Amino acid sequence: MSPTNYLLLSALLFSIGTVGVLVRRNAIVVFMCVELMLNAVNLSLVTFSRINGSLDGQVMAFFVMVVAAAEVVVGLSIIMAIFRTRRTASVDDANLLKY
Amino acid sequence: MTTTIGEAIGFWILGPVALAGGLGMVFSRNAVHSALWLVLTMLSLGVIYMLQAAPFLGFTQIIVYTGAIMMLFVFVLMMVGRDASDSVVEVLRGQRVAAAVLGIGLAGLMIGAVAQSVGVPLAAGAPSGSNVGGLGLLVFQRYLLAFELTSALIITGAVGAMVYTFAGRAKSKAITQKERVAERLRGPLEKFGSRSGPGVFATADSVATPALLPDGSVAPESLSAIIEATARERLGHATELSRPGDEHDTAAHSHHAERGEIQGSQT
């Protein structure tokens, strides 16, 4: 089996995440789709690291995980703040930046 | 150098599972089901990392992603309301079809780009030493600055989350004893204690006799709204005080304005 199969899987997962971000209306589910895209990129980074025989790609995937954790914390608190004021988690209802 | 048979078996089991998880997340209408499908995808990706000689990253994936991040997602879902399902209404016409076309096109582009490199062999020598040791050397030597920057990022994220959590929540100052006494004496509770009933401090037991306050003035609350004679004969111009539906507050305010005149008519 060629290691590029992992890259194909990563591309498919990334596309699924993209479609999810475009299609879903619930802000939390949109956020989960972004997480799926980050995971797909992580998979490709790990595969590149293996193909090249070095560990740099794994370190990069590690940093991506850290950034994803910080992003999730801030993003979910933003969603909660919007939900407290507007009583909705739908991306269609949050159409004003400041109100 | 190519991959082993066992790794191929693992990939062909876990890859479809990860894909199914992703598809299930996009297509399930309930948000909690989406989260669980995503957990499936993340778990299988973690095992795939372990297959690819990255055990540290695999365990980190399972612990951080499925343990912490998805936990947070489910927690927020429960706070927002798990029955907040997506609406079926399409806000932009044809958006779903366009999104599907774009997704398929994107997948085709990326697969086409990757497929040109199918058959690229693995590097001859695997990285020497243990996985965790090598990662530690890289993180704390070559990528030390980036590592420190991520710590700053994490702290900024935590502070930002707290700011958002406590935003708009006005800090209520503790009321001191002095302020509470002032509020009792001058605020809505100006006349503390219970109101006087009919006949209190009066010379007769009749309901028609208004109650008197300790200073001799008529307590407006004790005036009967039904017995009009009370107001007419004994109070004269103060009739409006006993109008039915008169609130306590307005009566109390007018009470002070006309206290002297009522007292005059009493005596």
Side-chain angles (χ1 to χ4, degrees), chain A residues 10 22 26 38 44 49 60 65 88 92 97 99:
Chain A
S10 159
L22 291 175
N26 191 336
L38 287 173
S44 66
S49 149
M60 254 174 247
M65 276 188 194
T88 180
D92 283 331
L97 269 182
Y99 193 45

Side-chain angles (χ1 to χ4, degrees), chain B residues 20-112:
Chain B
L23 288 174
M25 180 193 67
V26 173
F27 288 117
S28 69
R29 201 152 290 290
N30 193 334
V32 177
H33 294 173
S34 293
L36 294 181
W37 281 115
L38 186 57
V39 166
L40 181 67
T41 300
M42 285 176 172
L43 279 177
S44 49
L45 279 184
V47 181
I48 283 180
Y49 292 164
M50 293 178 206
L51 277 182
Q52 295 217 66
F56 176 75
L57 215 55
F59 280 110
T60 312
Q61 163 94 3
I62 290 176
I63 292 171
V64 171
Y65 264 113
T66 61
I69 292 184
M70 290 316 293
M71 198 70 219
L72 204 59
F73 267 108
V74 175
F75 201 77
V76 170
L77 272 178
M78 292 301 167
M79 289 174 79
V80 166
R82 56 166 189 80
D83 53 1
S85 301
D86 262 5
S87 63
V88 196
V89 182
E90 220 177 14
V91 180
L92 302 173
R93 193 213 306 261
Q95 191 216 359
R96 288 193 186 149
V97 178
V101 169
L102 191 136
I104 292 173
L106 184 66
L109 266 181
M110 286 193 292
I111 287 174

